[in-house]
Amino acid sequence: MSNRRRTRNSGNGNPETETAADEGLQAMRERNRVVAEREASRLARPDQPATSNTFGHAPKGKSAVMSTPFGQMFGGRTPLGTKPDMVVEEEWCGPFSVARQMIAAREDARRIREEQQAEDDPNSSKGSHPLDGLMEIALEKKRRLENPSMNWVSRHQRSSNDVSNANYYAKRRKRFNQQKNLMGNGVNYVPSLFQLCVNYLVENFEHIETLGLVDHSIRRALCERLVAQGKMNGAAFDVLAEMGVETLELVDCAQVTQDQFCDALRVLLPSGLRAILLKHCGRCFGSQAVQVITEINSDELELFAISLAGAYLLKDEDVARLIGAASRTLSSIDLTACPLIGPQFCQALGEHFSSSVGDGFTGCLLELSLQNIPLTKEALLTLGASSDALSNLKSLKLKEIDTVDDEVVSIILNSIEGGSLEGIDLSGNPQLTDEILSCIRRCNGSGNLRALQLSGLTSLTAIGLEAFFTHIDDLPSPPMLRKLDLSQCSYNEVNDAVLTLAAKAASFKRSSTYAANEEDNPNPETLVSDVSGARKGLVHISIIGTSVSDKSMETLAATCSSSLEELDISFCVNVSDKGLGYLVSKLGCQFTKLHVWGLAQLTEEFLDGHDRVEEGVLEIVGVWMKKSGGRSLR
């Protein structure tokens, strides 16, 4: 404004001066118009800067007015997909032009991205085929044929009048109450006549002097109920351990003193006591109780089973004397968590149950169960190699013993003759490897093995387990098990292939065509029909924390439909609603218990939609478990 005023003041009365001033004003208007057009173009097309200098007096790089607040920093960029020397055609800055330019830029970016992907992976540039849709339909049909669980539909989906808008927590509460009723804790649960009688006797047990000639199962139920209500004391023990009982079984001996127990033994042993089964022995069974047993005349002693758990007062020399006194009739020994037992116990077994004993009164040991016993490896090797004391065993349990390894198991199993073993439990010994599988297979020459528990053996491999359940020449046939426990082994080692082979081996009758039918069948529903004379399959299965999936559920439905009673698939994350729903729909009424702890992927599609919801017989343990966060219903 100051320059304009000076120009006007200096040009008063001079025509030439006025003409020059008008020309200056015209040039200033032109420059302002160019600046406005540039700003409008920049706002309308932000991705395309101006391509020509609009000022005639100076280049754009030297202009005092810039199109961006950062000056010339971004002024030289070119649109995406164009080269620097390409001339960009200017278009009108209307909204439709801007939209067309944005679409063109997006297409250029997609073209460049596809060219880069084609360079990285030439196979990905193949075009689609008109028959791709038909191929997808055919493949889906094939998958459903090979996996019949995909065709399972829940009750809610089959029912047209189903009300599925109920509150989520109300459904969980209803499901929880149903499970409580099955376990006998629900509000609407009606106890049986037997339970009513037991409850009435326990409530008035202080007035009972004798139970009379009642069965052992009734005494055991009374003892369990007394312990649950805290009424198991010395007076209750005197009633349960009255003269004439053949089996003395106590689930908790914490309130029984050693003197009281010894007094009961002096009365019961001469009158025909045949089994002592004590849990949580504590102080009641020690050296004094062993002394009472050894003082009884051998002709009057008829003990055939001794089961002691938690006998922390029982010494090594005491249990050796006990075995020596009762070896004539003793056939079952079960010791759990007895910390003072050592090598003298193993030596006593070898001495008193060996066929080389010359007195002609050698006992026959049929069951040996040792759990959490601090035995040395040398003692166990002596037990298996020194004599034939274990040659007639039918049940062997070596659980949670630190010194049990492949060598110990091999020597003990080799000492058992004739393949008489019916049950083997080696759980809790992670140092065992695949070598024990071949030993178990060779030991089962007669095919009598029915129970195999290998829980916690993390060193087992999938190859070893598959070979164990596969027909191999020069080896006995795979075992036809009724109880199988492969829980808490390595996650990837116990898989669908292992469980399928185990189920086949347990279900199929041995025949000359067995090996021919070992081939994999894509449809599990045809497994039973492939082999004539299918027998009863697995009854109890525990595969906690393994990698089995719905394929295993289909195999179990095909091979164990009339035998399976209990299944534990806790923490098997690959099992879905459809797999479990299909399994439950195919199993018979004998299937009564299912463990699903940790299966947070299960939804109400299975929990409220399987085929046996209305029966109220199937107990699903862990169904009320929920994902982390919030308060549980328990």
Side-chain angles (χ1 to χ4, degrees):
M1 294 297 295
S2 60
N3 292 334
R4 185 180 302 176
R5 290 174 181 175
R6 284 195 300 267
T7 303
R8 290 180 179 179
N9 295 331
S10 59
N12 293 333
N14 190 349
E16 296 179 358
T17 303
E18 292 179 358
T19 302
D22 293 338
E23 293 178 354
L25 291 175
Q26 185 67 24
M28 185 177 296
R29 294 191 187 97
E30 292 293 334
R31 286 195 299 271
N32 292 338
R33 185 181 298 107
V34 170
V35 171
E37 290 178 356
R38 184 196 300 172
E39 291 298 318
S41 177
R42 181 180 66 84
L43 295 175
R45 295 187 296 271
D47 57 333
Q48 294 185 4
T51 57
S52 61
N53 294 330
T54 57
F55 291 113
H57 66 280
K60 181 180 178 182
K62 297 181 181 180
S63 176
V65 180
M66 294 295 177
S67 61
T68 64
F70 301 98
Q72 195 66 18
M73 181 180 299
F74 300 102
R77 68 179 181 181
T78 58
L80 184 63
T82 60
K83 297 181 179 180
D85 55 350
M86 293 177 60
V87 178
V88 180
E89 182 179 358
E90 292 289 341
E91 297 183 3
W92 176 250
C93 59
F96 295 100
S97 299
V98 174
R100 284 195 299 269
Q101 295 173 33
M102 294 176 64
I103 294 173
R106 186 164 57 248
E107 292 295 329
D108 292 340
R110 184 177 62 83
R111 177 179 53 79
I112 295 174
R113 184 173 62 255
E114 291 178 353
E115 292 176 356
Q116 294 177 353
Q117 292 178 355
E119 293 177 358
D120 298 337
D121 187 8
N123 296 328
S124 63
S125 61
K126 295 181 180 180
S128 60
H129 195 273
L131 298 180
D132 286 346
L134 295 178
M135 288 297 297
E136 288 295 332
I137 296 175
L139 291 176
E140 180 67 18
K141 184 177 180 180
K142 182 179 179 181
R143 284 193 295 267
R144 289 183 176 275
L145 180 63
E146 296 178 355
N147 303 278
S149 64
M150 297 177 63
N151 301 319
W152 178 77
V153 180
S154 65
R155 293 188 317 113
H156 295 335
Q157 296 176 354
R158 294 195 299 264
S159 177
S160 58
N161 56 354
D162 176 55
V163 180
S164 58
N165 297 324
N167 182 271
Y168 172 73
Y169 292 98
K171 293 180 180 179
R172 290 184 63 232
R173 174 64 68 179
K174 178 180 178 182
R175 198 181 306 135
F176 174 66
N177 292 332
Q178 290 177 350
Q179 295 302 316
K180 288 184 65 177
N181 291 334
L182 286 177
M183 293 183 293
N185 299 323
V187 178
N188 299 324
Y189 174 74
V190 179
S192 63
L193 179 60
F194 176 79
Q195 293 174 335
L196 289 174
C197 295
V198 169
N199 294 337
Y200 181 78
L201 290 175
V202 170
E203 291 176 1
N204 303 276
F205 208 77
E206 63 272 9
H207 305 294
I208 297 176
E209 296 181 358
T210 178
L211 293 175
L213 299 177
V214 296
D215 187 63
H216 162 65
S217 60
I218 299 177
R219 295 180 183 271
R220 180 179 57 194
L222 289 172
C223 182
E224 292 175 352
R225 192 63 179 171
L226 287 170
V227 171
Q229 294 190 3
K231 294 184 177 182
M232 186 61 194
N233 49 29
F237 171 76
D238 292 336
V239 175
L240 294 174
E242 59 185 350
M243 181 182 294
V245 299
E246 293 185 352
T247 301
L248 179 59
E249 182 175 2
L250 303 177
V251 297
D252 192 349
C253 307
Q255 303 298 326
V256 181
T257 63
Q258 188 165 189
D259 294 335
Q260 187 178 14
F261 186 79
C262 292
D263 294 338
L265 287 180
R266 292 187 181 96
V267 176
L268 297 177
L269 288 174
S271 62
L273 182 63
R274 304 190 61 191
I276 299 176
L277 311 176
L278 306 178
K279 295 181 179 179
H280 304 285
C281 292
R283 56 182 178 172
C284 79
F285 200 95
S287 302
Q288 187 177 347
V290 173
Q291 182 65 29
V292 172
I293 296 175
T294 56
E295 291 176 354
I296 301 297
N297 190 357
S298 60
D299 296 335
E300 298 179 354
L301 195 61
E302 299 180 0
L303 281 177
F304 77 91
I306 295 178
S307 177
L308 305 174
Y312 60 85
L313 296 179
L314 186 62
K315 299 179 181 179
D316 193 16
E317 56 272 15
D318 295 332
V319 71
R321 291 192 297 118
L322 176 62
I323 292 174
S327 61
R328 186 179 63 87
T329 58
L330 190 61
S331 61
S332 176
I333 300 176
D334 183 0
L335 300 177
T336 302
C338 300
L340 302 181
I341 294 179
Q344 295 186 29
F345 163 72
C346 298
Q347 294 175 3
L349 289 179
E351 292 176 0
H352 297 285
F353 289 98
S354 176
S355 59
S356 61
V357 178
D359 55 5
F361 296 99
T362 304
C364 182
L365 188 60
L366 301 179
E367 298 180 2
L368 178 62
S369 177
L370 304 177
Q371 180 178 353
N372 196 12
I373 303 297
L375 296 175
T376 62
K377 182 177 180 179
E378 291 75 13
L380 292 172
L381 293 175
T382 302
L383 176 62
S386 62
S387 64
D388 57 350
L390 307 180
S391 59
N392 298 316
L393 273 184
K394 292 186 178 295
S395 177
L396 174 64
K397 179 179 179 180
L398 300 174
K399 186 176 181 179
E400 298 176 1
I401 301 177
D402 296 336
T403 55
V404 172
D405 56 8
D406 295 338
E407 183 182 2
V408 171
V409 174
S410 176
I411 291 178
I412 291 179
L413 292 181
N414 290 334
S415 65
I416 301 173
E417 300 177 356
S420 60
L421 269 179
E422 298 179 0
I424 298 177
D425 187 355
L426 301 174
S427 303
N429 300 312
Q431 60 272 21
L432 298 179
T433 63
D434 290 342
E435 295 183 8
I436 64 167
L437 298 177
S438 61
C439 298
I440 296 173
R441 183 80 173 264
R442 295 181 186 278
C443 180
N444 189 36
S446 301
N448 295 322
L449 188 62
R450 293 294 179 266
L452 180 62
Q453 301 180 61
L454 304 176
S455 174
L457 273 59
T458 56
S459 299
L460 297 182
T461 63
I463 297 176
L465 291 171
E466 291 179 14
F468 178 74
F469 292 109
T470 304
H471 180 81
I472 301 176
D473 296 337
D474 301 330
L475 281 179
S477 299
M480 299 180 63
L481 300 175
R482 297 294 172 262
K483 183 176 183 179
L484 177 63
D485 187 356
L486 295 176
S487 59
Q488 298 177 353
C489 296
S490 295
Y491 174 77
N492 294 319
E493 306 305 328
V494 181
N495 49 34
D496 292 332
V498 171
L499 191 58
T500 299
L501 292 173
K504 287 182 179 181
S507 303
F508 294 155
K509 183 178 180 180
R510 297 291 176 257
S511 63
S512 59
T513 60
Y514 177 77
N517 291 281
E518 286 275 323
E519 298 180 359
D520 293 334
N521 193 323
N523 189 355
E525 291 183 335
T526 61
L527 285 176
V528 177
S529 61
D530 287 345
V531 179
S532 59
R535 288 185 178 177
K536 192 175 182 179
L538 291 166
V539 178
H540 300 275
I541 304 175
S542 178
I543 44 177
I544 302 173
T546 59
S547 60
V548 298
S549 64
D550 291 345
K551 195 69 176 179
S552 295
M553 303 299 104
E554 298 165 0
T555 303
L556 293 179
T559 57
C560 311
S561 60
S562 61
S563 63
L564 189 60
E565 298 178 2
E566 183 176 358
L567 175 64
D568 192 344
I569 55 171
S570 300
F571 304 100
C572 295
V573 296
N574 296 327
V575 178
S576 67
D577 291 326
K578 289 188 174 295
L580 270 183
Y582 176 79
L583 175 65
V584 172
S585 65
K586 295 296 182 180
L587 295 181
C589 297
Q590 81 286 341
F591 184 58
T592 57
K593 201 166 189 178
L594 174 64
H595 301 261
V596 294
W597 289 107
L599 299 189
Q601 71 272 19
L602 296 183
T603 64
E604 60 184 18
E605 180 182 3
F606 166 74
L607 299 176
D608 295 330
H610 63 82
D611 292 352
R612 300 182 62 184
V613 172
E614 300 297 337
E615 295 180 6
V617 178
L618 178 60
E619 179 182 356
I620 305 179
V621 182
V623 67
W624 50 86
M625 190 174 183
K626 60 177 295 187
K627 294 183 180 180
S628 60
R631 190 175 64 178
S632 175
L633 286 176
R634 294 192 65 183

